[in-house]
Amino acid sequence: MKKFIIFFFIAISLIITGCQTDKNNEQKELTISAAASLREALEETGQKYMEDHPDVKIIFNFGGSGSLQQQIAQGAPVDLFISAAEDKYNQLLAKDMIDKNHSTQLLGNELVLIVPKEKQNIESLDDLLKTDIKRIAIGTPETVPAGQYARQTFISTGLWSRLESKIINTKDVRQVLSYVETENVDAGIVYKTDAIISDKIKTIPISGHGLHDPIIYPAGVISSSKNADESTQFFEFLKTQDVMDIFKKYGFKAALD
């Protein structure tokens, strides 16, 4: 009987130790909400980070910055937010929903006009006034920063009132790219970084300075993150030169360049 009792307690001890070991080996899951235009660059960045930190699993939630901001404001369990517009980000910052000590202007970008590859009659924004141009896609300005910048550009150039009836709003900037690639629209406005990843479109630079607000991507740790240490470590990783080189490969630039 005594041997049985000793064996019983040893077995229980091993089970408890095993459970504790499994718990210690559990991966921490970080949820990163980020602008859709960052998809390829962040997926490469996240993969690199996870290879160096096998105890961390990064889950990305890509979308329009305005929609992501609303999700966070409503309590979505997010650890870090990277927006394509400062106004959406600053709404959370003003409510102390982003840790001010771990917040930065991370990246910059540019707007370009895109058309299907075979379309040869568009060389500038003014060409969008042509009668055979029926549909122009931009992100919904209220929730998609690229759409907000596109509308500002059309207003600055005096084209908005003349083109508004042709505008097709989309859920995010990647949907604009898709619509142009599939020729569901005649033209669209996206970021330079979106245009770079496609071989199905023609890219037309948008000339002129001060046509829209500066395109800045702020990033910060969510104050309510349950993985504050891991989130902070990934936030610091985003600011390293190795990661900046990845961003630049996809057409981004440092925010202050």
Side-chain angles (χ1 to χ4, degrees):
M1 182 68 179
K2 185 176 181 181
K3 288 183 178 179
F4 173 79
I5 293 173
I6 292 172
F7 175 79
F8 175 77
F9 279 108
I10 290 173
I12 293 297
S13 177
L14 289 172
I15 291 171
I16 292 172
T17 301
C19 290
Q20 289 175 337
T21 300
D22 288 343
K23 187 173 182 181
N24 290 335
N25 289 336
E26 283 181 1
Q27 283 185 312
K28 289 278 190 177
E29 290 190 352
L30 296 185
T31 299
I32 314 297
S33 285
S37 52
L38 289 162
R39 180 181 293 274
E40 287 76 18
L42 274 184
E43 284 178 344
E44 181 174 338
T45 298
Q47 187 60 41
K48 178 178 174 61
Y49 189 81
M50 287 187 288
E51 288 172 359
D52 295 337
H53 300 79
D55 57 327
V56 175
K57 180 179 180 180
I58 295 177
I59 299 171
F60 289 112
N61 175 33
F62 294 105
S65 297
S67 298
L68 298 176
Q69 177 263 325
Q70 291 170 12
Q71 292 170 14
I72 295 169
Q74 292 167 7
V78 175
D79 296 296
L80 194 144
F81 180 38
I82 310 176
S83 174
E86 291 186 286
D87 61 340
K88 307 292 187 294
Y89 182 89
N90 288 343
Q91 291 177 36
L92 298 176
L93 202 59
K95 296 178 181 178
D96 293 325
M97 299 187 77
I98 291 176
D99 180 358
K100 291 182 174 64
N101 294 320
H102 298 99
S103 173
T104 190
Q105 291 183 335
L106 186 65
L107 300 168
N109 211 336
E110 300 173 25
L111 279 190
V112 294
L113 173 64
I114 60 171
V115 298
K117 200 166 189 177
E118 303 307 318
K119 191 173 273 301
Q120 301 297 324
N121 65 334
I122 299 180
E123 297 295 338
S124 69
L125 290 177
D126 287 336
D127 287 334
L128 298 176
L129 295 169
K130 293 179 177 179
T131 56
D132 63 326
I133 305 303
K134 307 291 186 184
R135 294 158 62 86
I136 304 164
I138 67 171
T140 302
E142 290 73 24
T143 57
V144 182
Q148 176 184 331
Y149 300 134
R151 182 170 63 181
Q152 290 174 353
T153 297
F154 286 139
I155 290 172
S156 297
T157 54
L159 295 172
W160 179 251
S161 61
R162 303 165 72 184
L163 294 176
E164 190 172 4
S165 62
K166 299 183 179 185
I167 297 297
I168 305 296
N169 291 320
T170 68
K171 66 177 182 178
D172 58 42
V173 71
R174 287 303 171 86
Q175 192 170 52
V176 177
L177 179 64
S178 176
Y179 280 3
V180 176
E181 287 179 327
T182 55
E183 300 188 39
N184 283 311
V185 298
D186 300 300
I189 302 284
V190 298
Y191 295 121
K192 174 184 175 182
T193 51
D194 299 299
I196 284 175
I197 66 172
S198 177
D199 60 1
K200 299 177 182 178
I201 55 146
K202 181 174 76 169
T203 301
I204 301 155
I206 296 175
S207 58
H209 296 286
L211 298 178
H212 54 74
D213 292 340
I215 301 176
I216 300 294
Y217 287 65
V221 174
I222 302 301
S223 299
S224 60
S225 171
K226 295 180 180 178
N227 304 298
D229 290 343
E230 292 80 10
S231 299
T232 299
Q233 288 171 14
F234 185 70
F235 169 79
E236 295 297 336
F237 176 70
L238 289 174
K239 297 189 291 180
T240 63
Q241 188 58 52
D242 283 349
V243 173
M244 190 55 62
D245 289 342
I246 293 174
F247 284 129
K248 288 182 177 180
K249 181 174 72 173
Y250 289 94
F252 291 96
K253 56 185 179 180
L256 301 179
D257 283 356

